[in-house]
Amino acid sequence: MRVLIVEDYAPIRESVARGLREAGYAVDVAADGEDGLWLATGNDYDVIVLDLMLPKRDGMSVLDALNQSGRSSRVLLLTAKDRVEDRVNGLDAGADDYLTKPFAFAELLARVRTLVRRRYAATTPVLRIGDLEIDTVRRGATRSGDVLELTPREFTLLEYLANRADEVVTRTEIWEHLYDFQTDSQSNVVDVYVGYLRKKLEEHGRSRLIHTRRGHGYQLSEACQ
């Protein structure tokens, strides 16, 4: 899952980015509204954490521009303004959630997880495909009750494919949701990680869940089509 943080106060921006990366998210950052809008309109983020009080272009202006662009990213407003009318104005302007400073990182992380589920219309934090269960809160997965030993990157890949279960997902789409702006896009890392994940899912003779659609991408599906 890929997150954009638009926050001008460096300690908050850096600590939130570090925490989200440790939780397995790909993270891009911007220190002002202009850079934030440029990144947000040029990349497909799952969640945008957007401060309201920004240099060059304020957060409400960025939010309005995102709404006009038809963005599908979910937006979490992050601000020191804690008046009820400020929260109402932000939500009425199209934000999906609102968090005031100071905040606990655990709460921000929970809200990001919720917004990711909302984006993909997941009704519960546990995703199920056949005998595969993926717990997006505990960041763990089992198959037929057996725990899968996944790295953070492998889990994030599995979560993304599960959120789009039965759809054919292109390599470009996988790349854009799992890797940040700084990563070398010429790498074959997507195919490598799909291979790692597929091997772990198919241990002990289990049936194939990740199917290669040649010329198109990958599909996580219980049914072999």
Side-chain angles (χ1 to χ4, degrees), residues 141-158:
T142 62
R143 190 156 189 208
S144 299
D146 295 330
V147 175
L148 301 177
E149 300 295 338
L150 304 177
T151 67
R153 185 65 68 191
E154 289 166 353
F155 180 86
T156 302
L157 170 59
L158 180 60

Side-chain angles (χ1 to χ4, degrees), residues 158-173:
L158 180 60
E159 180 186 11
Y160 180 59
L161 293 175
N163 274 314
R164 298 190 56 186
D166 298 320
E167 298 179 31
V168 177
V169 185
T170 68
R171 289 172 176 82
T172 299
E173 288 175 315

Side-chain angles (χ1 to χ4, degrees), residues 163-224:
N163 274 314
R164 298 190 56 186
D166 298 320
E167 298 179 31
V168 177
V169 185
T170 68
R171 289 172 176 82
T172 299
E173 288 175 315
I174 294 172
W175 182 272
E176 290 178 346
H177 284 266
L178 268 67
Y179 297 93
D180 59 37
F181 192 67
Q182 302 298 321
T183 310
D184 179 11
S185 61
Q186 300 304 311
S187 171
N188 68 339
V189 70
V190 168
D191 296 318
V192 171
Y193 270 94
V194 168
Y196 292 158
L197 182 57
R198 178 181 277 155
K199 182 177 180 180
K200 292 181 179 182
L201 288 173
E202 295 177 13
E203 284 180 331
H204 310 301
R206 298 187 183 101
S207 61
R208 174 155 293 190
L209 288 180
I210 299 178
H211 310 280
T212 301
R213 303 308 180 198
R214 297 196 181 278
H216 298 282
Y218 297 101
Q219 180 184 34
L220 181 64
S221 177
E222 185 180 14
C224 182

Side-chain angles (χ1 to χ4, degrees), residues 106-148:
E107 181 178 4
L108 181 141
L109 181 58
R111 289 173 184 263
V112 168
R113 287 195 300 260
T114 298
L115 292 178
V116 169
R117 291 199 298 271
R118 191 181 302 174
R119 182 181 183 187
Y120 294 102
T123 57
T124 71
V126 178
L127 306 174
R128 294 181 175 85
I129 297 91
D131 61 353
L132 173 66
E133 291 193 359
I134 304 156
D135 190 327
T136 61
V137 174
R138 293 187 173 87
R139 309 293 289 173
T142 62
R143 190 156 189 208
S144 299
D146 295 330
V147 175
L148 301 177

